[in-house]
Short mmCIF file of all heavy atoms in Angstrom, two decimals:
data_model
loop_
_atom_site.label_atom_id
_atom_site.label_comp_id
_atom_site.label_asym_id
_atom_site.label_seq_id
_atom_site.Cartn_x
_atom_site.Cartn_y
_atom_site.Cartn_z
N MET L 60 69.94 -5.40 8.44
CA MET L 60 70.26 -6.80 8.31
C MET L 60 70.10 -7.48 9.66
O MET L 60 70.56 -6.99 10.68
CB MET L 60 71.70 -6.91 7.82
CG MET L 60 72.04 -8.24 7.26
SD MET L 60 73.62 -8.06 6.40
CE MET L 60 73.94 -9.73 6.12
N SER L 61 69.44 -8.61 9.69
CA SER L 61 69.19 -9.29 10.96
C SER L 61 70.39 -10.13 11.39
O SER L 61 71.24 -10.49 10.59
CB SER L 61 67.95 -10.17 10.84
OG SER L 61 68.19 -11.23 9.94
N GLU L 62 70.41 -10.42 12.70
CA GLU L 62 71.49 -11.22 13.24
C GLU L 62 71.37 -12.66 12.76
O GLU L 62 70.28 -13.16 12.53
CB GLU L 62 71.41 -11.23 14.77
CG GLU L 62 71.62 -9.89 15.39
CD GLU L 62 71.41 -9.93 16.90
OE1 GLU L 62 71.27 -11.01 17.47
OE2 GLU L 62 71.42 -8.84 17.48
N LYS L 63 72.48 -13.32 12.62
CA LYS L 63 72.48 -14.71 12.20
C LYS L 63 72.08 -15.59 13.39
O LYS L 63 72.67 -15.52 14.45
CB LYS L 63 73.86 -15.11 11.70
CG LYS L 63 73.92 -16.50 11.14
CD LYS L 63 75.27 -16.80 10.58
CE LYS L 63 75.30 -18.21 10.04
NZ LYS L 63 76.63 -18.58 9.63
N ARG L 64 71.09 -16.41 13.21
CA ARG L 64 70.62 -17.33 14.26
C ARG L 64 71.38 -18.64 14.08
O ARG L 64 71.35 -19.24 13.02
CB ARG L 64 69.13 -17.54 14.14
CG ARG L 64 68.39 -16.20 14.12
CD ARG L 64 67.34 -16.16 15.16
NE ARG L 64 66.71 -14.85 15.14
CZ ARG L 64 66.46 -14.18 16.24
NH1 ARG L 64 66.77 -14.68 17.40
NH2 ARG L 64 65.88 -13.02 16.18
N VAL L 65 72.05 -19.07 15.14
CA VAL L 65 72.98 -20.17 14.97
C VAL L 65 72.71 -21.42 15.82
O VAL L 65 73.20 -22.48 15.50
CB VAL L 65 74.43 -19.71 15.24
CG1 VAL L 65 74.87 -18.71 14.20
CG2 VAL L 65 74.57 -19.11 16.61
N ILE L 66 71.98 -21.30 16.90
CA ILE L 66 71.79 -22.43 17.80
C ILE L 66 70.31 -22.55 18.17
O ILE L 66 69.63 -21.56 18.35
CB ILE L 66 72.68 -22.30 19.05
CG1 ILE L 66 72.62 -23.55 19.91
CG2 ILE L 66 72.33 -21.08 19.86
CD1 ILE L 66 73.67 -23.59 21.00
N ARG L 67 69.83 -23.78 18.24
CA ARG L 67 68.43 -23.99 18.61
C ARG L 67 68.24 -23.78 20.10
O ARG L 67 69.06 -24.17 20.92
CB ARG L 67 67.98 -25.39 18.23
CG ARG L 67 67.90 -25.55 16.73
CD ARG L 67 66.86 -26.58 16.36
NE ARG L 67 66.87 -26.79 14.94
CZ ARG L 67 66.10 -26.14 14.08
NH1 ARG L 67 65.26 -25.24 14.53
NH2 ARG L 67 66.16 -26.38 12.80
N LEU L 68 67.11 -23.17 20.44
CA LEU L 68 66.81 -22.84 21.82
C LEU L 68 66.71 -24.09 22.69
O LEU L 68 67.15 -24.08 23.83
CB LEU L 68 65.52 -22.02 21.88
CG LEU L 68 65.16 -21.34 23.18
CD1 LEU L 68 66.32 -20.50 23.72
CD2 LEU L 68 63.95 -20.46 23.00
N ASN L 69 66.17 -25.18 22.16
CA ASN L 69 66.02 -26.39 22.98
C ASN L 69 67.37 -26.94 23.43
O ASN L 69 67.49 -27.49 24.52
CB ASN L 69 65.18 -27.46 22.28
CG ASN L 69 65.78 -27.97 21.01
OD1 ASN L 69 66.75 -27.42 20.48
ND2 ASN L 69 65.17 -29.01 20.46
N LYS L 70 68.41 -26.77 22.64
CA LYS L 70 69.75 -27.21 23.04
C LYS L 70 70.25 -26.37 24.21
O LYS L 70 70.84 -26.89 25.17
CB LYS L 70 70.71 -27.10 21.86
CG LYS L 70 72.09 -27.59 22.18
CD LYS L 70 72.99 -27.58 20.98
CE LYS L 70 74.37 -28.08 21.37
NZ LYS L 70 75.29 -28.06 20.26
N VAL L 71 70.01 -25.07 24.16
CA VAL L 71 70.43 -24.17 25.24
C VAL L 71 69.65 -24.46 26.52
O VAL L 71 70.21 -24.43 27.61
CB VAL L 71 70.25 -22.70 24.81
CG1 VAL L 71 70.61 -21.75 25.93
CG2 VAL L 71 71.07 -22.41 23.57
N LEU L 72 68.36 -24.77 26.39
CA LEU L 72 67.53 -25.07 27.56
C LEU L 72 68.08 -26.27 28.31
O LEU L 72 68.19 -26.25 29.54
CB LEU L 72 66.08 -25.35 27.14
CG LEU L 72 65.34 -24.20 26.46
CD1 LEU L 72 63.95 -24.65 26.02
CD2 LEU L 72 65.27 -22.99 27.33
N GLY L 73 68.46 -27.30 27.59
CA GLY L 73 69.03 -28.49 28.22
C GLY L 73 70.39 -28.21 28.83
O GLY L 73 70.71 -28.69 29.92
N GLU L 74 71.18 -27.44 28.13
CA GLU L 74 72.52 -27.11 28.61
C GLU L 74 72.50 -26.28 29.89
O GLU L 74 73.27 -26.52 30.81
CB GLU L 74 73.26 -26.34 27.51
CG GLU L 74 74.67 -25.94 27.84
CD GLU L 74 75.31 -25.14 26.72
OE1 GLU L 74 75.09 -25.47 25.54
OE2 GLU L 74 76.03 -24.19 27.05
N LEU L 75 71.60 -25.30 29.94
CA LEU L 75 71.53 -24.41 31.09
C LEU L 75 70.55 -24.87 32.16
O LEU L 75 70.46 -24.26 33.21
CB LEU L 75 71.17 -22.99 30.63
CG LEU L 75 72.18 -22.32 29.72
CD1 LEU L 75 71.68 -20.96 29.27
CD2 LEU L 75 73.54 -22.18 30.39
N ASN L 76 69.79 -25.93 31.85
CA ASN L 76 68.83 -26.50 32.80
C ASN L 76 67.77 -25.47 33.20
O ASN L 76 67.51 -25.25 34.39
CB ASN L 76 69.55 -27.04 34.04
CG ASN L 76 68.68 -27.95 34.86
OD1 ASN L 76 67.82 -28.64 34.33
ND2 ASN L 76 68.88 -27.95 36.17
N ILE L 77 67.17 -24.83 32.20
CA ILE L 77 66.11 -23.84 32.44
C ILE L 77 64.91 -24.17 31.56
O ILE L 77 65.03 -24.91 30.59
CB ILE L 77 66.59 -22.39 32.16
CG1 ILE L 77 67.10 -22.23 30.73
CG2 ILE L 77 67.64 -21.97 33.17
CD1 ILE L 77 67.46 -20.82 30.34
N SER L 78 63.77 -23.58 31.90
CA SER L 78 62.55 -23.82 31.12
C SER L 78 62.48 -22.87 29.93
O SER L 78 63.13 -21.82 29.91
CB SER L 78 61.31 -23.64 32.00
OG SER L 78 61.15 -22.27 32.32
N LEU L 79 61.67 -23.24 28.97
CA LEU L 79 61.45 -22.41 27.79
C LEU L 79 60.89 -21.05 28.18
O LEU L 79 61.37 -20.01 27.71
CB LEU L 79 60.51 -23.12 26.82
CG LEU L 79 60.08 -22.36 25.57
CD1 LEU L 79 61.29 -22.03 24.70
CD2 LEU L 79 59.07 -23.15 24.79
N ASP L 80 59.88 -21.04 29.05
CA ASP L 80 59.27 -19.78 29.48
C ASP L 80 60.28 -18.86 30.15
O ASP L 80 60.30 -17.66 29.89
CB ASP L 80 58.11 -20.04 30.43
CG ASP L 80 56.92 -20.70 29.75
OD1 ASP L 80 56.75 -20.48 28.54
OD2 ASP L 80 56.19 -21.42 30.43
N ARG L 81 61.11 -19.43 30.99
CA ARG L 81 62.11 -18.63 31.70
C ARG L 81 63.12 -18.01 30.72
O ARG L 81 63.47 -16.84 30.84
CB ARG L 81 62.83 -19.53 32.71
CG ARG L 81 63.63 -18.81 33.72
CD ARG L 81 64.09 -19.77 34.80
NE ARG L 81 64.96 -19.08 35.74
CZ ARG L 81 65.80 -19.67 36.55
NH1 ARG L 81 65.89 -20.98 36.57
NH2 ARG L 81 66.55 -18.97 37.35
N ALA L 82 63.56 -18.79 29.75
CA ALA L 82 64.52 -18.30 28.77
C ALA L 82 63.91 -17.20 27.90
O ALA L 82 64.52 -16.15 27.70
CB ALA L 82 65.00 -19.45 27.89
N VAL L 83 62.70 -17.44 27.41
CA VAL L 83 62.05 -16.46 26.53
C VAL L 83 61.75 -15.17 27.29
O VAL L 83 61.97 -14.07 26.78
CB VAL L 83 60.77 -17.06 25.89
CG1 VAL L 83 59.96 -16.00 25.18
CG2 VAL L 83 61.15 -18.18 24.93
N ASP L 84 61.28 -15.29 28.53
CA ASP L 84 61.02 -14.10 29.35
C ASP L 84 62.29 -13.28 29.54
O ASP L 84 62.27 -12.05 29.43
CB ASP L 84 60.43 -14.48 30.71
CG ASP L 84 58.99 -14.94 30.64
OD1 ASP L 84 58.34 -14.70 29.59
OD2 ASP L 84 58.52 -15.54 31.62
N HIS L 85 63.39 -13.95 29.84
CA HIS L 85 64.65 -13.22 30.05
C HIS L 85 65.10 -12.54 28.76
O HIS L 85 65.53 -11.38 28.79
CB HIS L 85 65.75 -14.15 30.55
CG HIS L 85 67.06 -13.45 30.70
ND1 HIS L 85 67.29 -12.51 31.67
CD2 HIS L 85 68.19 -13.51 29.96
CE1 HIS L 85 68.51 -12.04 31.53
NE2 HIS L 85 69.08 -12.64 30.49
N LEU L 86 65.00 -13.23 27.64
CA LEU L 86 65.41 -12.63 26.37
C LEU L 86 64.55 -11.42 26.02
O LEU L 86 65.06 -10.41 25.55
CB LEU L 86 65.38 -13.67 25.25
CG LEU L 86 66.48 -14.73 25.30
CD1 LEU L 86 66.23 -15.80 24.24
CD2 LEU L 86 67.85 -14.10 25.12
N LYS L 87 63.26 -11.54 26.26
CA LYS L 87 62.36 -10.42 25.96
C LYS L 87 62.65 -9.21 26.85
O LYS L 87 62.64 -8.08 26.38
CB LYS L 87 60.90 -10.85 26.08
CG LYS L 87 60.47 -11.72 24.92
CD LYS L 87 59.00 -12.07 24.96
CE LYS L 87 58.63 -12.89 23.74
NZ LYS L 87 57.22 -13.24 23.70
N THR L 88 62.93 -9.44 28.14
CA THR L 88 63.24 -8.32 29.03
C THR L 88 64.61 -7.72 28.70
O THR L 88 64.87 -6.58 29.04
CB THR L 88 63.20 -8.72 30.51
OG1 THR L 88 64.12 -9.77 30.75
CG2 THR L 88 61.81 -9.14 30.93
N SER L 89 65.45 -8.51 28.02
CA SER L 89 66.77 -8.01 27.61
C SER L 89 66.71 -7.31 26.26
O SER L 89 67.74 -6.86 25.75
CB SER L 89 67.76 -9.17 27.54
OG SER L 89 67.95 -9.73 28.81
N GLY L 90 65.52 -7.25 25.65
CA GLY L 90 65.35 -6.52 24.40
C GLY L 90 65.44 -7.35 23.14
O GLY L 90 65.47 -6.81 22.04
N PHE L 91 65.46 -8.65 23.27
CA PHE L 91 65.51 -9.53 22.10
C PHE L 91 64.10 -9.96 21.72
O PHE L 91 63.21 -9.99 22.56
CB PHE L 91 66.35 -10.78 22.39
CG PHE L 91 67.79 -10.48 22.69
CD1 PHE L 91 68.28 -10.59 23.98
CD2 PHE L 91 68.66 -10.09 21.69
CE1 PHE L 91 69.61 -10.32 24.27
CE2 PHE L 91 70.00 -9.82 21.97
CZ PHE L 91 70.46 -9.93 23.26
N THR L 92 63.92 -10.33 20.47
CA THR L 92 62.65 -10.86 20.00
C THR L 92 62.86 -12.33 19.68
O THR L 92 63.70 -12.68 18.85
CB THR L 92 62.19 -10.13 18.73
OG1 THR L 92 62.09 -8.74 19.02
CG2 THR L 92 60.85 -10.65 18.26
N VAL L 93 62.11 -13.19 20.35
CA VAL L 93 62.25 -14.62 20.14
C VAL L 93 60.89 -15.29 20.25
O VAL L 93 60.04 -14.85 21.03
CB VAL L 93 63.27 -15.24 21.13
CG1 VAL L 93 62.80 -15.12 22.54
CG2 VAL L 93 63.61 -16.66 20.78
N ASP L 94 60.66 -16.31 19.44
CA ASP L 94 59.39 -17.04 19.47
C ASP L 94 59.36 -17.99 20.65
O ASP L 94 60.39 -18.51 21.07
CB ASP L 94 59.22 -17.86 18.18
CG ASP L 94 59.04 -16.98 16.96
OD1 ASP L 94 58.54 -15.85 17.10
OD2 ASP L 94 59.40 -17.43 15.85
N LEU L 95 58.17 -18.25 21.14
CA LEU L 95 57.97 -19.18 22.25
C LEU L 95 57.91 -20.60 21.67
O LEU L 95 56.86 -21.24 21.65
CB LEU L 95 56.70 -18.84 23.03
CG LEU L 95 56.42 -19.66 24.28
CD1 LEU L 95 57.55 -19.51 25.28
CD2 LEU L 95 55.12 -19.24 24.91
N SER L 96 59.05 -21.06 21.17
CA SER L 96 59.15 -22.39 20.58
C SER L 96 60.54 -22.94 20.86
O SER L 96 61.53 -22.23 20.66
CB SER L 96 58.93 -22.31 19.07
OG SER L 96 59.28 -23.54 18.47
N PRO L 97 60.64 -24.19 21.29
CA PRO L 97 61.96 -24.76 21.55
C PRO L 97 62.78 -24.94 20.28
O PRO L 97 64.00 -25.09 20.33
CB PRO L 97 61.65 -26.10 22.21
CG PRO L 97 60.26 -26.42 21.83
CD PRO L 97 59.56 -25.11 21.62
N ASN L 98 62.12 -24.89 19.12
CA ASN L 98 62.83 -25.05 17.86
C ASN L 98 63.33 -23.73 17.28
O ASN L 98 63.96 -23.72 16.23
CB ASN L 98 61.95 -25.76 16.84
CG ASN L 98 61.68 -27.19 17.24
OD1 ASN L 98 62.57 -27.88 17.73
ND2 ASN L 98 60.45 -27.62 17.09
N SER L 99 63.07 -22.62 17.97
CA SER L 99 63.57 -21.32 17.53
C SER L 99 65.08 -21.32 17.58
O SER L 99 65.69 -21.96 18.43
CB SER L 99 63.05 -20.21 18.45
OG SER L 99 61.67 -20.13 18.41
N LYS L 100 65.68 -20.59 16.66
CA LYS L 100 67.13 -20.44 16.68
C LYS L 100 67.46 -19.08 17.29
O LYS L 100 66.75 -18.11 17.08
CB LYS L 100 67.71 -20.53 15.27
CG LYS L 100 67.64 -21.93 14.70
CD LYS L 100 68.35 -22.01 13.39
CE LYS L 100 68.32 -23.43 12.85
NZ LYS L 100 69.02 -23.53 11.56
N ILE L 101 68.55 -19.04 18.06
CA ILE L 101 68.98 -17.80 18.68
C ILE L 101 70.40 -17.47 18.23
O ILE L 101 71.16 -18.34 17.82
CB ILE L 101 68.91 -17.86 20.23
CG1 ILE L 101 69.81 -18.94 20.80
CG2 ILE L 101 67.46 -18.05 20.68
CD1 ILE L 101 69.92 -18.90 22.32
N SER L 102 70.74 -16.19 18.32
CA SER L 102 72.06 -15.72 17.89
C SER L 102 73.09 -15.93 19.00
O SER L 102 72.74 -16.25 20.14
CB SER L 102 71.99 -14.24 17.53
OG SER L 102 71.74 -13.48 18.70
N ASP L 103 74.35 -15.72 18.67
CA ASP L 103 75.42 -15.81 19.67
C ASP L 103 75.20 -14.80 20.79
O ASP L 103 75.46 -15.08 21.95
CB ASP L 103 76.78 -15.55 19.02
CG ASP L 103 77.25 -16.73 18.18
OD1 ASP L 103 76.87 -17.88 18.48
OD2 ASP L 103 78.00 -16.49 17.22
N GLU L 104 74.71 -13.62 20.42
CA GLU L 104 74.47 -12.57 21.41
C GLU L 104 73.36 -12.99 22.39
O GLU L 104 73.47 -12.78 23.60
CB GLU L 104 74.09 -11.27 20.71
CG GLU L 104 73.97 -10.08 21.63
CD GLU L 104 73.63 -8.80 20.87
OE1 GLU L 104 74.05 -8.65 19.71
OE2 GLU L 104 72.95 -7.96 21.48
N GLU L 105 72.31 -13.58 21.86
CA GLU L 105 71.21 -14.05 22.72
C GLU L 105 71.68 -15.21 23.60
O GLU L 105 71.35 -15.27 24.79
CB GLU L 105 70.03 -14.49 21.85
CG GLU L 105 69.36 -13.33 21.15
CD GLU L 105 68.45 -13.75 20.01
OE1 GLU L 105 68.75 -14.75 19.33
OE2 GLU L 105 67.44 -13.06 19.80
N TYR L 106 72.49 -16.09 23.03
CA TYR L 106 73.04 -17.20 23.80
C TYR L 106 73.92 -16.68 24.95
O TYR L 106 73.83 -17.17 26.07
CB TYR L 106 73.86 -18.13 22.89
CG TYR L 106 74.57 -19.22 23.66
CD1 TYR L 106 73.87 -20.33 24.14
CD2 TYR L 106 75.92 -19.15 23.91
CE1 TYR L 106 74.51 -21.32 24.86
CE2 TYR L 106 76.58 -20.13 24.62
CZ TYR L 106 75.87 -21.22 25.08
OH TYR L 106 76.50 -22.20 25.81
N ALA L 107 74.74 -15.69 24.66
CA ALA L 107 75.61 -15.11 25.68
C ALA L 107 74.79 -14.50 26.82
O ALA L 107 75.15 -14.63 27.99
CB ALA L 107 76.54 -14.08 25.06
N ALA L 108 73.69 -13.84 26.48
CA ALA L 108 72.82 -13.23 27.50
C ALA L 108 72.22 -14.31 28.40
O ALA L 108 72.16 -14.16 29.62
CB ALA L 108 71.72 -12.40 26.84
N LEU L 109 71.77 -15.41 27.81
CA LEU L 109 71.21 -16.51 28.60
C LEU L 109 72.29 -17.16 29.45
O LEU L 109 72.07 -17.46 30.63
CB LEU L 109 70.56 -17.55 27.69
CG LEU L 109 69.24 -17.16 27.04
CD1 LEU L 109 68.82 -18.22 26.03
CD2 LEU L 109 68.17 -16.96 28.08
N ASN L 110 73.45 -17.37 28.86
CA ASN L 110 74.53 -18.02 29.58
C ASN L 110 74.99 -17.17 30.77
O ASN L 110 75.25 -17.70 31.85
CB ASN L 110 75.70 -18.30 28.64
CG ASN L 110 76.65 -19.32 29.19
OD1 ASN L 110 76.26 -20.24 29.90
ND2 ASN L 110 77.92 -19.17 28.87
N LYS L 111 75.05 -15.88 30.56
CA LYS L 111 75.46 -14.97 31.65
C LYS L 111 74.45 -15.02 32.80
O LYS L 111 74.83 -15.06 33.97
CB LYS L 111 75.58 -13.54 31.10
CG LYS L 111 76.00 -12.53 32.14
CD LYS L 111 76.13 -11.16 31.52
CE LYS L 111 76.52 -10.13 32.57
NZ LYS L 111 76.58 -8.78 32.02
N GLN L 112 73.18 -15.02 32.48
CA GLN L 112 72.13 -14.99 33.50
C GLN L 112 71.96 -16.33 34.22
O GLN L 112 71.73 -16.37 35.41
CB GLN L 112 70.79 -14.59 32.86
CG GLN L 112 69.63 -14.55 33.81
CD GLN L 112 69.73 -13.45 34.85
OE1 GLN L 112 70.37 -12.43 34.63
NE2 GLN L 112 69.13 -13.67 36.00
N PHE L 113 72.08 -17.43 33.47
CA PHE L 113 71.71 -18.73 34.02
C PHE L 113 72.87 -19.71 34.17
O PHE L 113 72.65 -20.90 34.34
CB PHE L 113 70.62 -19.37 33.15
CG PHE L 113 69.36 -18.54 33.08
CD1 PHE L 113 68.99 -17.91 31.91
CD2 PHE L 113 68.56 -18.39 34.20
CE1 PHE L 113 67.84 -17.14 31.85
CE2 PHE L 113 67.40 -17.62 34.15
CZ PHE L 113 67.05 -17.00 32.97
N SER L 114 74.09 -19.23 34.16
CA SER L 114 75.24 -20.13 34.30
C SER L 114 75.24 -20.84 35.65
O SER L 114 75.74 -21.95 35.77
CB SER L 114 76.54 -19.38 34.07
OG SER L 114 76.70 -18.35 35.01
N ALA L 115 74.67 -20.23 36.68
CA ALA L 115 74.58 -20.87 38.00
C ALA L 115 73.69 -22.11 37.93
O ALA L 115 73.98 -23.13 38.56
CB ALA L 115 74.05 -19.90 39.04
N ASP L 116 72.62 -22.05 37.14
CA ASP L 116 71.75 -23.21 36.98
C ASP L 116 72.49 -24.35 36.29
O ASP L 116 72.28 -25.51 36.58
CB ASP L 116 70.50 -22.85 36.18
CG ASP L 116 69.56 -21.93 36.95
OD1 ASP L 116 69.72 -21.83 38.17
OD2 ASP L 116 68.68 -21.34 36.32
N LYS L 117 73.36 -24.01 35.35
CA LYS L 117 74.16 -25.01 34.66
C LYS L 117 75.07 -25.72 35.66
O LYS L 117 75.21 -26.92 35.63
CB LYS L 117 74.98 -24.33 33.56
CG LYS L 117 75.83 -25.28 32.76
CD LYS L 117 76.57 -24.53 31.68
CE LYS L 117 77.45 -25.44 30.85
NZ LYS L 117 78.18 -24.71 29.80
N GLY L 118 75.66 -24.96 36.57
CA GLY L 118 76.52 -25.53 37.58
C GLY L 118 75.78 -26.46 38.51
O GLY L 118 76.29 -27.50 38.92
N LYS L 119 74.55 -26.12 38.84
CA LYS L 119 73.72 -26.98 39.70
C LYS L 119 73.42 -28.30 39.02
O LYS L 119 73.43 -29.35 39.65
CB LYS L 119 72.42 -26.28 40.07
CG LYS L 119 72.58 -25.11 41.01
CD LYS L 119 71.26 -24.42 41.26
CE LYS L 119 71.42 -23.12 42.01
NZ LYS L 119 70.17 -22.38 42.12
N LYS L 120 73.18 -28.25 37.72
CA LYS L 120 72.88 -29.47 36.98
C LYS L 120 74.11 -30.37 36.98
O LYS L 120 74.01 -31.58 37.21
CB LYS L 120 72.46 -29.14 35.55
CG LYS L 120 72.16 -30.38 34.72
CD LYS L 120 71.75 -30.04 33.32
CE LYS L 120 71.47 -31.31 32.52
NZ LYS L 120 71.10 -31.01 31.15
N GLU L 121 75.28 -29.81 36.72
CA GLU L 121 76.51 -30.60 36.68
C GLU L 121 76.81 -31.20 38.06
O GLU L 121 77.25 -32.34 38.16
CB GLU L 121 77.67 -29.74 36.19
CG GLU L 121 77.54 -29.37 34.73
CD GLU L 121 78.53 -28.32 34.27
OE1 GLU L 121 79.30 -27.79 35.08
OE2 GLU L 121 78.53 -28.02 33.06
N ALA L 122 76.55 -30.44 39.14
CA ALA L 122 76.77 -30.95 40.48
C ALA L 122 75.84 -32.10 40.80
O ALA L 122 76.23 -33.08 41.44
CB ALA L 122 76.60 -29.83 41.49
N SER L 123 74.59 -32.01 40.36
CA SER L 123 73.63 -33.07 40.65
C SER L 123 73.97 -34.35 39.89
O SER L 123 73.73 -35.45 40.37
CB SER L 123 72.20 -32.63 40.31
OG SER L 123 72.03 -32.53 38.93
N ILE L 124 74.57 -34.22 38.72
CA ILE L 124 74.99 -35.40 37.96
C ILE L 124 76.13 -36.11 38.70
O ILE L 124 76.19 -37.32 38.77
CB ILE L 124 75.40 -35.01 36.53
CG1 ILE L 124 74.16 -34.57 35.74
CG2 ILE L 124 76.09 -36.16 35.82
CD1 ILE L 124 74.46 -33.96 34.40
N GLY L 125 77.02 -35.32 39.30
CA GLY L 125 78.15 -35.88 40.04
C GLY L 125 77.73 -36.62 41.30
O GLY L 125 78.41 -37.53 41.77
N VAL L 126 76.60 -36.28 41.88
CA VAL L 126 76.11 -36.90 43.11
C VAL L 126 75.54 -38.28 42.84
O VAL L 126 75.64 -39.18 43.65
CB VAL L 126 75.05 -36.01 43.79
CG1 VAL L 126 74.38 -36.73 44.94
CG2 VAL L 126 75.69 -34.72 44.26
N SER L 127 74.97 -38.46 41.68
CA SER L 127 74.28 -39.73 41.35
C SER L 127 75.18 -40.94 41.45
O SER L 127 76.25 -41.05 41.17
CB SER L 127 73.71 -39.68 39.93
OG SER L 127 72.80 -38.61 39.84
#
């Protein structure tokens, strides 16, 4: 049985401030299978892997918004 896909990749890309290629490359090296499309849905487990790896980029985005 496959994992339930719950969130669109494009939403995560904006949230974490990363590119599609960077996210897909990280997921593939982590052993996940994901399409190279911003409309792909990812599971909670895949989201957690991206969040763990790129949470620093999210912090940079929030800091830059505060400077404006």
Side-chain angles (χ1 to χ4, degrees):
M60 197 167 170
S61 66
E62 296 175 8
K63 185 176 179 186
R64 307 234 177 225
V65 294
I66 187 169
R67 291 209 184 267
L68 192 52
N69 62 350
K70 182 175 180 181
V71 177
L72 298 176
E74 180 182 321
L75 297 177
N76 195 32
I77 58 174
S78 70
L79 175 62
D80 291 331
R81 194 170 176 200
V83 170
D84 287 345
H85 177 70
L86 288 173
K87 286 184 178 181
T88 58
S89 296
F91 298 106
T92 302
V93 64
D94 293 332
L95 185 60
S96 169
N98 293 319
S99 298
K100 290 186 178 180
I101 61 172
S102 68
D103 286 332
E104 186 178 329
E105 292 164 326
Y106 174 76
L109 287 173
N110 198 33
K111 181 179 178 183
Q112 179 68 26
F113 299 111
S114 61
D116 290 344
K117 181 179 180 180
K119 290 176 189 174
K120 179 180 180 181
E121 291 169 357
S123 71
I124 291 171
V126 171
S127 301

